[in-house]
Amino acid sequence: ENVPRLYDLVQVEDDRVRPVFYMALQNTLVANDLDQGSRIAYGAQRYRVVTLKGDIIDTAGTMSGGGNRQVRGKMGTQVRTKTAESADSSMGTQHALEEMQKQADEMQNRINYIQEQQGRLEHEIKLIQNVIQRNETEHKRLTVTIKSHESQLASIKKQVETQRQRMVKCTTDAEEVKKHEQQIEQAQQQVDKRKAAEQEVSKKIDKLQADYEQLRADTVKPVEAKLKKTNSQLEKLAAHVRSMNVALTTAERNIERLESDNTNLKENIQTAENKLRQLNEERKEWQERKEELVEKFKEAEAAINNAKSQSSDVKKEIDELNKQENERNIKRLELDTQLQAAAAKMQEVKSDIPRWRAALKPLKLNKIPGEAEPQAPLKTFTPDELEAENLEDMQYKQTLLEEQLKTKPNLNFIQEFSDKRLVYFERVRVLEDITSKRNEMRDKYEEVRKRRYTEFMEGFNIITRKLKEMYRMITLGGDADLELVDSMDPFAEGVQFTVRPPKKSWKYISNLSGGEKTLSSLALVFALHYYKPSPLYFMDEIDAALDFKNVSIVGHYIKVSLTS
């Protein structure tokens, strides 16, 4: 409907402040009246709309503003502060601002000092008020006590008169007293006579008991000892008989087993004898064949010896020559093999020299962290030193080094170790900082905990003392007390409320009657009010379980507290 944006209607002299207006107004549209604003705001696309009368419709659909009285003049039509000129003149007023800042700091210091003085004076005023309130409470309590004592004085006088009359009636007669004393003396004499007779009877009983013990020691005890000894011997004989029976049974079983073993042995012996006869016959046959073979061996050996004696000299010469030739051939082959191996090794070494030189060039000694002295450079051998070295020893050393180099070390670990070491030192520093902060926080925590305990115990002692005073004042003679379940940690288990009503024993508050609970609770509320006063209390039928006397005492105290 061609309505303008509120932002477009705002005219400013300095364009630098336009983003501020846009941030506040956004795309808010301006409508002539509420009907046009409703059509625009609740259309297909939601808009925030404001009317000329001040009604605002948000994009969420809520409507606000309007009313009979329109609010005007919040946005002026003239420029009050020219930001461009103020920016130019800001440098000139910097010195004035610094002077004003100094004055403000001085004023702030004076204000802080005055506030400290005010706090100290308020604390002193509060202490004085507490003393005055405590004195007034004590004066009221004494007044109530005096009134109660005055009311009790008349009844006490009546009781004294009644007791005096009873005392007069109970005056004793001297003749009756003498008569009773004579009766008591006669009864005492009879008691003494009976005690003497009783002592004589006791002596006779003791004598009879001693005679009985002597007779028993002379006759009965030897017989009992012999009987006990006989019983022990019988038990030993019975045990021996039982062991002999067991041994007899075991021997019979062993005899039966030995008889069966004997039969088996006889059969085995018969079998062995038959086999031994058979082996003797075979041994005789083999003995005869052995003698025949020995005769034939002797004849053959004699023939061989004759043949060997004829050809032994020639054969010895041939064997000697063959032996010498074989030794020469072996030596020649060994020399040829050694020459070929040396030539091949020399050629191999010559071919490996450039490779080893190329491999030695990139090698360098890495600096090991923690060692102050630099490492010695690699040793270079002279030709004389090389000729003095033994090839086999050098090959053995080479083999050992190659075995060691099979697990090739990663030299990058040195740099990695250095990096890790720096990280370690950094983390150690962080840990020390954290540990110091932790210790600081732990000290603060302990300080706060001790302060909490101290303040709690101070308040607890004040409330306990005031509770005793209030309960004694309300009940005219009772007593109450607050006890910590755990005195070392009062915040763990809580507090026990014990009460001793007038002329009764100590009890927990849960074991009291309704009226006693009400009086105890009110005393605690009044004690808490003394420690930390509250401007307003709501009490619902607190006199439901109280009689007229207690209601009067509580009402009088509340009335006096309100007036003070």
Side-chain angles (χ1 to χ4, degrees), residues 295-348:
E295 290 178 357
K296 290 180 181 180
F297 176 73
K298 288 180 179 179
E299 293 176 356
E301 189 176 9
I304 289 169
N305 290 329
N306 291 329
K308 282 183 178 180
S309 61
Q310 294 177 3
S311 60
S312 60
D313 297 335
V314 176
K315 190 175 181 181
K316 286 180 181 178
E317 294 177 359
I318 293 171
D319 292 338
E320 186 67 25
L321 292 172
N322 289 330
K323 185 178 179 180
Q324 293 176 1
E325 186 178 0
N326 289 333
E327 290 177 355
R328 291 191 184 95
N329 290 331
I330 289 170
K331 289 181 179 179
R332 183 174 59 81
L333 291 173
E334 288 179 353
L335 291 173
D336 293 340
T337 304
Q338 291 178 359
L339 288 173
Q340 291 177 1
K345 190 68 177 177
M346 188 181 294
Q347 187 66 28
E348 183 180 357

Side-chain angles (χ1 to χ4, degrees), residues 27-28 32 85 170 177 189 192 210 249 273 278 331 339 341 369 397 399 473 481 527 531 541 562:
N27 292 323
T28 303
N32 294 324
E85 295 179 358
C170 295
V177 171
Q189 292 175 0
D192 293 337
T249 305
E273 288 177 352
Q278 185 178 358
K331 289 181 179 179
L339 288 173
K397 292 179 181 179
T399 304
M473 183 193 71
D481 191 15
Y531 177 70
E541 295 183 359
L562 289 174

Side-chain angles (χ1 to χ4, degrees), residues 451-464 484 487 490-491:
R451 181 180 174 186
R452 174 195 181 196
Y453 176 79
T454 304
E455 293 180 358
F456 174 79
M457 291 306 297
E458 290 177 357
F460 178 78
N461 293 329
I462 294 172
I463 293 170
T464 303
L484 295 174
S487 60
F491 307 103

Side-chain angles (χ1 to χ4, degrees), residues 16 56 66 71 77-78 115 131 146 151 179 229 256 260 264 342 344 392 397 410 463 475 480 542-543:
R16 293 181 298 173
I56 299 175
V71 180
T77 58
Q78 296 179 357
Q115 287 179 350
V131 173
I146 291 168
S151 62
K179 188 184 293 184
K229 185 176 181 181
E256 292 176 358
S260 61
N264 294 329
E392 294 179 355
K397 292 179 181 179
N410 188 359
I463 293 170
T475 60
I542 61 173
D543 58 344

Side-chain angles (χ1 to χ4, degrees), residues 359-464:
L360 285 172
K361 284 182 180 180
L363 292 179
K364 63 179 181 179
L365 294 175
N366 291 300
K367 184 179 180 181
I368 299 176
E371 292 187 1
E373 297 181 358
Q375 297 184 9
L378 298 175
K379 185 178 180 181
T380 303
F381 290 93
T382 61
D384 296 335
E385 291 176 347
L386 291 174
E387 290 179 0
E389 292 289 338
N390 189 2
L391 181 61
E392 294 179 355
D393 295 339
M394 296 182 69
Q395 290 177 349
Y396 177 70
K397 292 179 181 179
Q398 180 182 359
T399 304
L400 292 177
L401 293 174
E402 288 177 353
E403 288 293 332
Q404 293 177 0
L405 290 175
K406 282 184 179 179
T407 56
K408 187 177 181 180
N410 188 359
L411 299 179
N412 293 327
F413 284 162
I414 297 174
Q415 183 63 31
E416 186 176 354
F417 172 76
S418 300
D419 298 338
K420 295 287 185 181
R421 188 181 183 189
L422 295 176
V423 173
Y424 168 74
F425 288 144
E426 179 64 23
R427 292 184 178 178
V428 166
R429 185 185 62 78
V430 174
L431 177 62
E432 291 177 352
D433 294 340
I434 293 173
T435 304
S436 63
K437 291 180 181 178
R438 183 201 63 185
N439 295 333
E440 184 180 354
M441 295 303 294
R442 182 181 295 170
D443 295 338
K444 290 182 180 178
Y445 168 75
E446 289 295 329
E447 182 182 355
V448 171
R449 190 176 66 82
K450 291 179 180 178
R451 181 180 174 186
R452 174 195 181 196
Y453 176 79
T454 304
E455 293 180 358
F456 174 79
M457 291 306 297
E458 290 177 357
F460 178 78
N461 293 329
I462 294 172
I463 293 170
T464 303

